[in-house]
Amino acid sequence: MSKDKPVRTAPAPLVPAPLVRRWLLPSALADQLDPDADRSGRRSRRTARDWLVDFVCFLLAVLIGLLGADTLEQEPDLPYAWGVADQLIGAAACAAVWLRRRWPAGLAVALVPVGLVSVTSAGAALVSLFTVAVHRPFRYTAWLTVANVLVQPLFYWVRPDPELPYLGTVLLGVLLAVTVAGWGMLARSKRQLLLSLRDRARRVETEARLRSEQAQRLAREAIAREMHDVLAHRLTLLSVHAGALEFRPDASREEVARAAGVIRESAHEALQDLREIIGVLRAGDSDDAGRPQPTLAALDALVAESRQAGMEVTFVRHVTDPAAVPASVGRTAYRVAQEALTNARKHAPGTEVALSVTGAPGDGLAVSVRNGPPEGDVPGVPGSGQGLIGLTERATLAGGTLEHGPTADGGFEVRARLPWG
C-alpha cells in the first residue's frame, strides 16, 4: 500500500475577519476588503470613520472660511452687500462639504467659479479638491488642480491682498492647491496599494488551496490504484477457488477443505487491506495505515502465496545487492509481479508461470512474468483490463517502461524495466 501522504494543509486566511475593524476603514475600502460585502451597486453605509473624517473636513472648511472672513474687514473698498454675499456663499459651500462623498467631482467643479467671487469658500474648495484626488483617477485631479491654479491670479487681480504682494499671494494659493492635490493622490495611492496587496494575497491563497486540493486528489487516486492492486489479487483468489469448487463437485474432502481455507484466508486478508485503505482515506495519514509497504524482498512471500493457491511458479532472481534497490523501484517491481501473477491465475489457470527479476545498479531492474497458453476450459473470471493500464502508468511515473502482450506459443508475457541508478 502507498505511504504517500496526502497534503491536508489548508491555508489560513491572510487577514482574519475578526482583525478587520470595519469602522476604522473608509466605507469604500471596507467594502472592497470585505469578501461578503454587498456588490449590488447600492451605496455603502458610512462607517464611524467616515463620519469623523467628514466632520473634520467640515470644521477645516469653516475654519479657513472664518480666516477669509477676517480679511473682508481689511478691504475698505469692498461694498457691504458684496461682503455679506461672500459670507453667505462661503457658508453654503461649507455646508456642501457633507455632499463630497456622493458628488466629489461635481462639487469640486461647482466650487471653482464660486472661488472667483467668495474668499470664504476657499476651505470648501480645498476639501473638494482633496476628495477628488482621493476618490477619482488622476485626470480628474489634474484638470481640477489646473482650474484652481488658474483661478488664483484672477481672484487676487480683482481682490488683492492688502498685506502681501500680488505675486506672493498667487504663489501661496498655487502652492496650497498643489499640496492638497498631492496629499490626496498620496492617500489614493496608499489605498490602491492596500487593495492590490489584498488581491495578491487572495490570489496566492486561492492558488495554495487549489494546489492542496490537487495534491489531495492525486493522493486519493494513488490510494485507489493501490486498492485495485491489492484487492484484485485477493479477490481473484476467491473467484478462482470458488470457481474450482463449482466446476469440480467431485473433489475430495481434502481438496475442498484446502480450497475453503484459501478462500477464508484470502477473504480475511482482503478485508484487512480494505480496512487499512479506508483508514488512510479517513485519517489522511498513511503512517497509521498499519503494515509496511511491499518491497522487492516481499516477492518470496508473494510466490509462496501463489504456490499455496495451486499455481506452478518458477522464480528466478539475479539481483546484485537487493538491499540497495530503491524503495519506490522495489515497490513497483512487486506490483508488476503481483498483477501479472493475478492475471495468470485468472486467465490461464493450471499453466506454469515463470517470474524473473534481474538487475544491478546502473543497469536497471528487469521484471518478467510469462505463462504458457491455457489448457482446456477456463472459468470465466471478469476483468476490466485496468490493471495493466495502471501498471504501465506506475512504471512510467517511476521512470521506466512496461510492455505486455501474447507470446508466439499462445501464452502471455509482461515485461517491465525500471531505472536503478
Side-chain angles (χ1 to χ4, degrees):
M1 292 173 56
S2 174
K3 291 290 184 179
D4 299 331
K5 293 185 179 180
V7 178
R8 299 176 60 86
T9 303
L14 189 62
V15 182
L19 298 181
V20 177
R21 299 291 183 252
R22 182 183 176 88
W23 63 274
L24 292 176
L25 299 174
S27 56
L29 184 60
D31 286 343
Q32 295 184 58
L33 290 176
D34 185 5
D36 299 326
D38 186 9
R39 302 287 194 269
S40 59
R42 296 181 297 178
R43 294 184 69 251
S44 57
R45 186 174 58 181
R46 291 187 182 184
T47 63
R49 182 187 181 280
D50 292 339
W51 286 107
L52 178 60
V53 171
D54 290 345
F55 185 71
V56 171
C57 290
F58 173 74
L59 289 182
L60 287 175
V62 171
L63 179 60
I64 297 175
L66 292 177
L67 295 176
D70 291 340
T71 63
L72 294 177
E73 300 177 356
Q74 302 175 7
E75 299 184 42
D77 299 334
L78 184 69
Y80 176 76
W82 195 341
V84 174
D86 189 316
Q87 296 181 52
L88 292 176
I89 294 174
C94 291
V97 168
W98 291 99
L99 303 176
R100 69 186 188 93
R101 293 185 183 273
R102 180 170 295 184
W103 300 296
L107 178 62
V109 171
L111 290 180
V112 170
V114 171
L116 286 173
V117 297
S118 174
V119 68
T120 55
S121 66
L126 292 176
V127 170
S128 65
L129 179 61
F130 175 80
T131 304
V132 170
V134 172
H135 296 283
R136 291 295 181 266
F138 173 75
R139 62 179 182 275
Y140 293 94
T141 306
W143 282 108
L144 287 171
T145 303
V146 171
N148 279 274
V149 168
L150 295 178
V151 165
Q152 305 296 326
L154 296 176
F155 177 80
Y156 289 110
W157 179 266
V158 177
R159 300 174 60 178
D161 192 289
E163 298 182 354
L164 297 176
Y166 172 74
L167 183 59
T169 54
V170 171
L171 291 179
L172 182 61
V174 170
L175 179 62
L176 188 60
V178 172
T179 301
V180 169
W183 184 19
M185 288 189 293
L186 178 61
R188 175 180 174 82
S189 65
K190 288 185 176 180
R191 183 176 298 183
Q192 295 298 323
L193 176 61
L194 179 59
L195 292 176
S196 65
L197 292 176
R198 185 281 317 262
D199 293 337
R200 184 180 302 176
R202 286 185 176 177
R203 183 165 57 252
V204 170
E205 183 179 337
T206 301
E207 292 175 355
R209 184 172 62 253
L210 292 177
R211 286 195 298 268
S212 176
E213 293 175 355
Q214 183 181 16
Q216 289 180 347
R217 179 177 58 81
L218 293 177
R220 290 179 181 273
E221 290 178 356
I223 292 174
R225 288 194 294 268
E226 295 292 344
M227 181 184 294
H228 176 275
D229 294 339
V230 174
L231 294 182
H233 178 72
R234 309 297 184 192
L235 297 179
T236 298
L237 287 176
L238 292 174
S239 179
V240 169
H241 286 278
L245 292 178
E246 179 184 3
F247 279 88
R248 295 195 56 189
D250 57 341
S252 63
R253 291 177 58 87
E254 291 76 10
E255 293 176 338
V256 172
R258 186 169 64 88
V262 173
I263 292 175
R264 180 188 59 79
E265 183 65 24
S266 299
H268 175 74
E269 294 180 353
L271 183 61
Q272 181 67 21
D273 293 334
L274 183 60
R275 184 181 297 112
E276 294 173 358
I277 292 171
I278 293 176
V280 172
L281 293 175
R282 286 179 176 175
D285 189 355
S286 57
D287 289 341
D288 299 332
R291 299 185 311 182
Q293 298 182 60
T295 61
L296 193 65
L299 285 177
D300 293 328
L302 177 65
V303 172
E305 181 183 9
S306 300
R307 289 171 177 169
Q308 184 182 1
M311 295 184 64
E312 297 182 14
V313 182
T314 59
F315 181 29
V316 177
R317 176 167 53 191
H318 297 290
V319 179
T320 303
D321 194 5
V325 177
S328 60
V329 175
R331 181 169 61 251
T332 303
Y334 178 89
R335 295 305 183 193
V336 170
Q338 183 186 49
E339 179 67 22
L341 290 175
T342 300
N343 288 340
R345 187 182 301 117
K346 287 195 301 185
H347 304 295
T351 62
E352 183 178 356
V353 182
L355 170 60
S356 172
V357 180
T358 59
D363 296 335
L365 192 68
V367 181
S368 173
V369 182
R370 180 189 180 100
N371 63 269
E375 300 177 359
D377 296 332
V378 178
V381 179
S384 62
Q386 298 298 317
L388 292 176
I389 296 177
L391 285 182
T392 303
E393 180 183 1
R394 184 188 293 272
T396 302
L397 292 176
T401 59
L402 186 138
E403 300 176 354
H404 55 83
T407 59
D409 59 356
F412 197 84
E413 184 177 9
V414 177
R415 299 179 303 276
R417 188 162 190 86
L418 305 174
W420 182 8

